[in-house]
Amino acid sequence: MFLILNNSILPNTRYLLYNIHMSVITVSNLYKRFNLEAGFFARFGRFVNAVNDISFSIGKNEAYGLVGESGCGKTTTARMLVRMYEADAGEILYYHDDQPLAIAGLKNEALRQYREKVRYVFQDPARSLNPRMTVYEVLVSGCRRPLRRRGINENQLRQKAAIILEEVGLQAADLEKRPSEFSGGQRQRISIARALLMEPEVLICDEVVSALDVSIQGQILNLLLDIRKKRNISFLFIAHDLKVACYFCDRIGVMYKGELMEEAPAANLYNEALHPYTQLLFSSAAGISEDTLAETQRRRERRGIGEGKNIPVSNIDSLESIEDNTTDSRTTTPRLCVSAPLREKNGNVCSFAPRCPKVTERCLREHPVLTEINAGHSIRCFNPGGV
């Protein structure tokens, strides 16, 4: 089953009636760096700036997307939200009963309660599900004690697990099976069911569809949309595919080398991506290389067509791979498929300048700041398209 964009209207517009203005999580000026070398005798002093001054918020019943290449800092950001990594600087606030709670100071029982409300769904279910356990043990092993504190006994726990398993599209009889007996899409449904068992307020989905076939991606995304509508859950949705994120999310932040390059409502980003990197992410889904995009832009400017504006992105009819007849004789592999390189502190240059088709001398002298150019639409660029 494929996801169709009916009349080019993005599905996230279905949720405009929901109140997404009240934040459930806010992230302010978040930093995280790792030492370039590992081991007991590793030298100290050279770092990879995995997350570099990231700020965003997730509203109630809102789906916020983080999109970018491998190595851009998406997963590191998500893991800091659940304290798998400790932030070097910055602040993460969780709003419980509309009261802000700084998660950096949470310990023991308070941290456990926070993690019950903010659940993480990992990318690879084959590695995150214990193959020696039954599905029932996978679901309840980490939450049996807190649920018993709520007065839920073993029989009630089994009933609850069966109901949630059916909610994600499996059967109650599957509780006694093992993860190896399921397909990749079914295992991902089990991972989602495990996250839902504690009735969370926020679900962090770390590339939950990136390793699945296109048809299975559609099923999982539709499942998450149904869960969001039924349970009023907020999402942090991490993905490589910008078009998939535009389908599912209300707002999207585009990351590159640890920084937010562009942030906008999904519908605005889909119709008018302004940052050159965001445009390249859209074009990569159609098989267009960076050189091809730059050459097309130069031809448009020579002809005086849309000078200073971004190259339009064709309408999407489905999540199927789109074959584009535009080819580049110099390269057949989009460079966007290459993981973002290790980076040290960007300093006084634009981090995207070495790959940007619109680079100027100013880009090599100054580091742009994230600036709001329209309501809810911010960009980190001196020469944005369409402005």
Side-chain angles (χ1 to χ4, degrees):
M1 176 167 125
F2 295 92
L3 297 175
I4 306 298
L5 302 186
N6 298 322
N7 299 323
S8 300
I9 298 177
L10 292 174
N12 57 60
T13 57
R14 303 170 188 168
Y15 300 98
L16 291 180
L17 295 178
Y18 286 92
N19 180 16
I20 61 174
H21 303 292
M22 298 296 292
S23 295
V24 63
I25 289 180
T26 60
V27 176
S28 303
N29 308 113
L30 202 62
Y31 290 85
K32 181 64 180 178
R33 66 181 186 178
F34 297 97
N35 195 23
L36 272 176
E37 300 183 28
F40 184 78
F41 296 101
R43 292 178 296 177
F44 185 80
R46 296 185 62 203
F47 300 97
V48 177
N49 290 278
V51 176
N52 191 10
D53 196 13
I54 291 289
S55 298
F56 62 89
S57 64
I58 305 174
K60 291 183 179 179
N61 194 38
E62 180 187 27
Y64 185 88
L66 279 180
V67 182
E69 300 172 305
S70 295
C72 71
K74 308 182 301 295
T75 296
T76 301
T77 301
R79 292 185 175 185
M80 283 191 286
L81 262 61
V82 291
R83 293 271 303 273
M84 293 175 65
Y85 294 150
E86 297 291 343
D88 293 333
E91 186 177 49
I92 302 172
L93 295 178
Y94 169 67
Y95 290 84
H96 180 64
D97 296 331
D98 296 329
Q99 297 298 319
L101 184 67
I103 72 164
L106 300 181
K107 296 181 180 179
N108 303 327
E109 183 66 16
L111 180 59
R112 183 190 62 77
Q113 292 180 1
Y114 168 75
R115 286 173 172 169
E116 291 177 6
K117 294 300 182 182
V118 181
R119 303 291 287 176
Y120 202 106
V121 181
F122 293 92
Q123 175 181 358
D124 187 1
R127 297 178 62 185
S128 62
L129 303 179
N130 192 328
R132 298 185 179 185
M133 290 183 174
T134 64
V135 171
Y136 175 69
E137 288 298 325
V138 166
L139 295 181
V140 306
S141 60
C143 56
R144 180 179 274 113
R145 182 175 298 176
L147 286 175
R148 283 182 177 176
R149 289 176 180 173
R150 300 181 187 179
I152 299 177
N153 59 37
E154 192 68 24
N155 290 334
Q156 293 172 326
L157 185 57
R158 181 172 288 273
Q159 293 175 4
K160 185 179 179 69
I163 291 172
I164 291 180
L165 205 60
E166 291 176 348
E167 182 181 345
V168 299
L170 299 177
Q171 300 177 359
D174 294 331
L175 286 173
E176 301 307 321
K177 296 181 180 179
R178 299 186 185 276
S180 59
E181 301 179 52
F182 296 91
S183 65
Q186 290 173 325
R187 284 197 291 262
Q188 197 61 275
R189 292 174 186 267
I190 296 171
S191 296
I192 295 171
R194 177 173 59 180
L196 294 176
L197 197 62
M198 295 302 298
E199 301 178 0
E201 295 180 0
V202 181
L203 208 58
I204 300 176
C205 297
D206 189 358
E207 301 188 37
V208 294
V209 298
S210 62
L212 304 177
D213 293 337
V214 175
S215 59
I216 307 301
Q217 288 183 18
Q219 295 174 16
I220 298 299
L221 288 173
N222 283 332
L223 171 64
L224 293 176
L225 287 171
D226 292 340
I227 290 171
R228 177 184 172 188
K229 184 176 181 180
K230 179 180 178 180
R231 293 176 172 263
N232 293 329
I233 292 179
S234 302
F235 282 85
L236 176 61
F237 188 81
I238 297 172
H240 284 105
D241 194 327
L242 190 52
K243 292 170 183 176
V244 170
C246 283
Y247 180 89
F248 182 78
C249 300
D250 297 298
R251 290 187 301 126
I252 294 176
V254 181
M255 288 189 68
Y256 182 74
K257 290 190 176 181
E259 297 179 308
L260 275 183
M261 310 306 285
E262 186 168 5
E263 184 183 49
N268 293 357
L269 199 68
Y270 179 81
N271 292 320
E272 190 180 17
L274 300 180
H275 197 283
Y277 177 60
T278 310
Q279 296 171 11
L280 289 172
L281 286 179
F282 272 120
S283 69
S284 66
I288 306 173
S289 68
E290 295 179 29
D291 292 336
T292 302
L293 187 64
E295 179 62 26
T296 305
Q297 179 74 5
R298 286 193 291 269
R299 290 176 182 174
R300 286 166 56 85
E301 291 176 354
R302 284 199 298 268
R303 295 173 184 172
I305 302 174
E307 185 172 359
K309 295 185 178 181
N310 62 301
I311 297 176
V313 181
S314 58
N315 291 332
I316 314 302
D317 293 326
S318 71
L319 287 179
E320 293 182 280
S321 298
I322 300 174
E323 295 183 0
D324 189 88
N325 294 325
T326 306
T327 57
D328 188 356
S329 59
R330 291 168 293 178
T331 179
T332 58
T333 304
R335 285 183 289 175
L336 284 174
C337 294
V338 181
S339 298
L342 295 178
R343 63 272 183 194
E344 299 184 47
K345 191 172 182 179
N346 295 323
N348 295 323
V349 298
C350 175
S351 59
F352 188 62
R355 299 174 61 185
C356 183
K358 300 180 181 179
V359 62
T360 63
E361 290 295 329
R362 185 183 181 187
C363 304
L364 303 177
R365 296 194 309 265
E366 300 179 37
H367 187 71
V369 297
L370 192 66
T371 305
E372 186 174 32
I373 57 174
N374 294 314
H377 196 156
S378 302
I379 186 171
R380 189 189 300 272
C381 185
F382 295 126
N383 308 296
V387 180

